[in-house]
Amino acid sequence: MRKLFLLVSAVLATTAVYGEDKYISKLLYQGHGSYRIRTSKNFVIYVDPYAGKGYDVPADLILVTHEHYDHTAVNLVTKKTKCRIIRERNLLVNGKYKTAAVGKIKIHAVPAYNSNHNRSECVGYIITLEDGLKIYAAGDTSYTDYMTDSLSRMNIDYALLPCDGIYNMDAGEAARCADIIGAAHAIPVHTKPGELFDNEVAAKFNAKNRLIMQPGEEISLERNDAKK
C-alpha cells in the first residue's frame, strides 16, 4: 500500500511540474516573422528569431529562412549544448532543395522568392514533427509555382504566410496562396515592417482556414487526421 501511495504521489508531482498538456506540441507566435515550436517530445525549434519575447526556452534547432536582419537574430535564443542552426544555404545547394533530419524532426527546404528576395538566397521550410504534423514556414515570399505543384498535395497542418504587401505579397495574395496550399490552418505573419503585428492587415487575410494569432499568443497544435 505504501509503495502504491508513493507511486501515485510521484505521478501527481510530475503532473504538477509539467502540466497536463506536456504531451501537446505548441506554437508560440513572437511577432513579425518569428515563432517558436515546442513539440510533444520537448524538442524546441525557433524560426527566424528577431521579434518579441520567449527566447528563454533552450533551443534544439534554429531555422533561418534567409539572411535579412529581421530573420537572423540567433543571438537572442537560449541554446542547448547541441543546438543546431540551419540556414538557407545549408539546404539550398546549387539550386537544389535539400532535406535534413535533426533527431526525429525532418526539415525540407522549399522555394521562397519575390522581387525583394532572391530565389537563390531564400527558402521556406516544411517542418515535420515526431508525430507527422506538418508546418509550412514560408519565410519571405510571394506566390510560387511550388505551392500549386507540391505544397497543395502535402496535407499541411499549419501554414505561416507573410502578407505585408511591401517586401512580400499582400494579404489578398497571401490568402489566395493559403487556399491553394490547403493547410488545415493558415496564419498571417510578417504583417508590417517594423511592427510586431498589424491587425488591419491580418483582417484582410481572408483565407478559408484563417487563424489569427497575436504576438505572445501560444496555441496547441493538432494534426488534422481527417486529411491524412
Side-chain angles (χ1 to χ4, degrees):
M1 180 63 73
R2 179 175 173 77
K3 289 183 178 179
L4 177 60
F5 173 78
L6 292 174
L7 176 61
V8 172
S9 298
V11 171
L12 291 175
T14 300
T15 301
V17 172
Y18 293 102
E20 294 181 357
D21 58 354
K22 65 175 180 174
Y23 298 118
I24 299 175
S25 296
K26 292 188 174 184
L27 171 70
L28 170 69
Y29 177 47
Q30 294 161 294
H32 193 56
S34 307
Y35 40 100
R36 184 187 77 203
I37 302 161
R38 191 170 187 172
T39 80
S40 60
K41 304 296 184 182
N42 203 34
F43 190 96
V44 179
I45 307 166
Y46 289 87
V47 179
D48 285 346
Y50 166 71
K53 300 178 181 180
Y55 294 100
D56 55 324
V57 179
D60 293 280
L61 174 63
I62 302 172
L63 299 176
V64 175
T65 60
H66 62 291
E67 296 301 321
H68 287 176
Y69 75 94
D70 57 335
H71 295 258
T72 59
V74 297
N75 59 303
L76 291 177
V77 181
T78 303
K79 305 172 186 66
K80 294 181 182 178
T81 303
K82 295 183 179 180
C83 176
R84 183 170 173 185
I85 300 174
I86 294 179
R87 300 178 180 273
E88 74 294 333
R89 60 180 174 268
N90 301 129
L91 296 185
L92 177 55
V93 182
N94 297 324
K96 296 189 180 298
Y97 296 90
K98 305 290 186 177
T99 299
V102 183
K104 294 184 178 180
I105 306 297
K106 292 183 180 179
I107 309 297
H108 178 62
V110 300
Y113 56 86
N114 55 33
S115 60
N116 296 297
H117 297 85
N118 191 312
R119 183 169 186 160
S120 65
E121 299 174 349
C122 303
V123 299
Y125 295 110
I126 302 297
I127 306 166
T128 305
L129 306 187
E130 300 99 335
D131 61 358
L133 187 146
K134 292 181 181 178
I135 300 167
Y136 171 41
D140 277 8
T141 191
S142 297
Y143 169 79
T144 70
D145 290 339
Y146 192 84
M147 294 177 181
T148 299
D149 297 340
S150 297
L151 293 182
S152 62
R153 299 196 298 271
M154 287 187 181
N155 293 324
I156 292 168
D157 296 290
Y158 294 85
L160 292 96
L161 299 165
C163 55
D164 61 45
I166 299 173
Y167 297 108
N168 297 289
M169 54 191 167
D170 62 18
E173 183 181 351
R176 291 191 290 275
C177 290
D179 291 341
I180 289 169
I181 294 164
H185 306 281
I187 303 173
V189 299
H190 209 302
T191 53
K192 187 175 183 179
E195 302 288 342
L196 285 180
F197 197 68
D198 189 307
N199 280 296
E200 291 184 4
V201 171
K204 297 175 183 176
F205 178 78
N206 59 351
K208 294 176 183 177
N209 296 318
R210 181 180 71 178
L211 173 59
I212 294 179
M213 295 183 66
Q214 297 297 322
E217 182 179 356
E218 187 172 47
I219 61 171
S220 296
L221 299 177
E222 297 181 353
R223 191 175 175 201
N224 185 22
D225 291 311
K227 292 178 61 180
K228 308 275 188 298

